[in-house]
Amino acid sequence: MTYPPVETACRYNWLGTIFYLSYLVFEFPQNLALQRFPVGKWMSLNILIWAVALCSHAACKNFAGLFVVRLILGMCEGSITAGFMIVSLMFYTRKEHTVRVGYWFTAQIVLGFISFGALHTHSKRLEPWQWLMIITGVSTFITALLFFFFFPDSPTNAWFLNEDERIKAVQRIKDNQTGIENKYFKKEQMIEALTDPKTWLFALFAIFDNIPNSLTNQIQIIVSSFGFTPFQTTLLGCVGGVVEIVTIFTGVKIASRFQNGRAWVAIAYLVPNVLAAILVNVLPWHDKVGLLFSFGLAGVGTTGFVLALVWVSQTTAGHTKRVTTNAIMLSAYCIGNAAGPFMWQAKYKPRNRIPWIIIAICNVLCMVLLFAIRVLLAFENKRRDAEPPDSTYEEVYVVRINDDGTREEVKVSKVFVHCLLASTITNLRGLMN
């Protein structure tokens, strides 16, 4: 069935929106599950379902079928970013965490190259886009198996570490002051997260930063309108991926080298997005080179969101509070992504001036919010530093009976106690199962 152009555009926008609406609905339940169940195993289950949904795209014949599989993808996506954030902070120091998040975020931006390769496939029964879904689905299925058997749930039960290394792995990140993990939901920490001003400032940032993210789905339509072939359009789309990889890599590296520099680096990387929106609106429509350059420039600001993800994880202590804060921020991320596609309306084509103005405004608001968060956290740090240190449970001892019968008090490291308890709980679960 062939739909009118306006209805087709509307359906296309809805396929982008339903993913994030589903993501939004399942985000908090997914975060609760990440706390309740082993992180690696829960993520592997979601990746497995994701793989099946990807392959199912190739069998879809209508809008309803695509709508359903996109909904399933959104449901599973809720566990991925949150799970990576939780595990990354378990294994790495703050400086290392900043860089590692950048690494796994850039790994998401290789689909453009796979898409270009899929366009070269020729088959009587399947279109290139169907091959793309099958290829990515099969590779995702393999990833799910690797996650299930090899991805660690925490340093306390990582299969590639012995007991001594597990203790050292926990000891080395104690300065993060964010804890490892806790399988018990603490209501007081959830309330603390809900009443913390920075939680909602980060949420507002996530909304405004991701409204422009709808450009990802629109850019190929805009570029193809310049007269490029599907091959050329897809290849030009890879340029945006390269820009994001380079800028995220450099951004996290710079931020990790300067203490408390995340806000300033993120703000600096958002400036090109504002410049890109201005250039698209003022350059003549026949200046294809200048417009393509502007489209590429619009991908630089992705670094800002990556650094915000790192920042919110590193400034939130307590496992339940961190899970709640992550859920709120990623829910806000979904709201921005769900709303964004609807600013691309037929009446604004071909220049799309209104959407680009909205993109510029959103990026300016993001810079203001990052500065406000920076000021708030600086104030909180000064207030905390002025308080007397809490030495509760710093001095923990056990009585040891020596060979000669004498008793001796031995100081016990809290890290050792934590690892011992975690190992005991894991063994007990194994016996119960």
Side-chain angles (χ1 to χ4, degrees):
M1 181 176 181
T2 302
Y3 298 101
V6 173
E7 187 176 352
T8 300
C10 181
R11 286 169 177 260
Y12 181 78
N13 288 337
W14 264 110
L15 290 177
T17 296
I18 189 56
F19 173 87
Y20 290 105
L21 288 178
S22 176
Y23 192 152
L24 173 63
V25 170
F26 286 96
E27 181 57 36
F28 195 72
Q30 285 279 22
N31 273 267
L32 290 178
L34 285 168
Q35 181 174 22
R36 177 66 181 83
F37 303 111
V39 178
K41 303 302 182 290
W42 184 255
M43 289 178 67
S44 65
L45 174 62
N46 280 274
I47 295 170
L48 177 62
I49 298 172
W50 177 285
V52 174
L54 278 176
C55 289
S56 299
H57 278 70
C60 293
K61 302 297 183 182
N62 53 37
F63 172 74
L66 289 170
F67 190 89
V68 171
V69 291
R70 292 286 295 173
L71 185 147
I72 295 173
L73 290 182
M75 176 183 71
C76 297
E77 175 70 14
S79 70
I80 304 304
T81 302
F84 278 169
M85 289 166 64
I86 290 171
V87 175
S88 296
L89 205 57
M90 287 182 188
F91 280 89
Y92 301 108
T93 63
R94 290 190 177 188
K95 182 178 179 180
E96 294 167 342
H97 179 242
T98 301
V99 178
R100 293 315 186 280
V101 171
Y103 288 167
W104 59 254
F105 213 94
T106 54
Q108 302 178 54
I109 314 171
V110 297
L111 186 59
F113 300 102
I114 299 175
S115 301
F116 182 72
L119 281 175
H120 289 80
T121 58
H122 300 284
S123 172
K124 293 181 179 180
R125 293 186 176 183
L126 296 176
E127 297 291 333
W129 70 268
Q130 291 174 306
W131 277 113
L132 174 63
M133 294 296 104
I134 293 172
I135 292 168
T136 54
V138 171
S139 60
T140 303
F141 177 79
I142 296 171
T143 302
L145 295 179
L146 293 174
F147 259 71
F148 183 83
F149 290 107
F150 299 111
F151 195 80
D153 300 309
S154 78
T156 60
N157 62 5
W159 60 271
F160 49 84
L161 300 177
N162 58 40
E163 289 296 326
D164 182 59
E165 290 171 336
R166 290 173 184 176
I167 293 172
K168 291 177 180 177
V170 176
Q171 184 74 45
R172 69 188 292 273
I173 63 167
K174 67 177 183 178
D175 290 338
N176 289 358
Q177 298 179 341
T178 55
I180 302 295
E181 68 172 342
N182 191 320
K183 295 303 181 184
Y184 297 97
F185 186 83
K186 297 181 179 180
K187 182 179 178 181
E188 64 275 12
Q189 286 193 14
M190 183 189 75
I191 295 173
E192 186 179 344
L194 294 174
T195 55
D196 190 340
K198 81 171 185 295
T199 300
W200 301 106
L201 287 174
F202 274 117
L204 283 173
F205 169 83
I207 291 174
F208 289 121
D209 187 69
N210 286 284
I211 289 176
N213 200 37
S214 59
L215 180 62
T216 304
N217 294 327
Q218 299 293 327
I219 198 69
Q220 286 197 333
I221 298 175
I222 297 172
V223 172
S224 64
S225 70
F226 290 169
F228 293 106
T229 66
F231 286 101
Q232 293 170 329
T233 300
T234 304
L235 189 58
L236 286 169
C238 295
V239 175
V242 172
V243 170
E244 290 190 7
I245 290 173
V246 172
T247 53
I248 290 173
F249 183 81
T250 57
V252 295
K253 282 288 187 181
I254 294 171
S256 66
R257 291 180 179 273
F258 296 96
Q259 186 176 7
N260 300 324
R262 289 178 294 263
W264 308 122
V265 175
I267 290 172
Y269 274 74
L270 284 169
V271 172
N273 284 31
V274 179
L275 178 61
I278 295 172
L279 287 174
V280 171
N281 270 323
V282 300
L283 288 174
W285 193 240
H286 60 79
D287 187 0
K288 308 304 182 187
V289 175
L291 291 171
L292 288 172
F293 172 80
S294 302
F295 296 153
L297 204 60
V300 176
T302 305
T303 307
F305 184 69
V306 175
L307 291 174
L309 283 176
V310 173
W311 202 6
V312 72
S313 294
Q314 294 180 356
T315 56
T316 307
H319 199 71
T320 301
K321 183 178 180 181
R322 188 159 62 248
V323 165
T324 305
T325 305
N326 286 347
I328 292 172
M329 184 174 181
L330 291 174
S331 295
Y333 159 86
C334 295
I335 292 172
N337 276 291
F342 293 101
M343 67 181 178
W344 303 94
Q345 298 182 26
K347 62 183 178 182
Y348 300 136
K349 292 181 179 180
R351 292 306 304 260
N352 292 302
R353 294 187 187 277
I354 298 299
W356 282 102
I357 290 172
I358 294 172
I359 288 173
I361 293 172
C362 285
N363 281 284
V364 171
L365 289 173
C366 285
M367 289 188 276
V368 173
L369 285 166
L370 287 172
F371 179 75
I373 295 169
R374 178 71 180 81
V375 172
L376 174 65
L377 291 178
F379 174 79
E380 287 294 322
N381 287 340
K382 289 181 180 179
R383 182 184 61 79
R384 183 194 60 202
D385 293 342
E387 295 177 351
D390 183 5
S391 59
T392 307
Y393 303 121
E394 285 295 329
E395 301 292 328
V396 180
Y397 294 87
V398 296
V399 176
R400 181 173 64 188
I401 301 177
N402 298 320
D403 293 337
D404 58 2
T406 59
R407 293 174 176 266
E408 179 184 5
E409 286 190 347
V410 180
K411 186 176 180 180
V412 180
S413 167
K414 289 194 295 183
V415 175
F416 175 80
V417 175
H418 176 88
C419 290
L420 183 62
L421 286 173
S423 179
T424 303
I425 292 171
T426 301
N427 292 333
L428 285 173
R429 282 178 179 164
L431 291 173
M432 293 173 66
N433 294 332

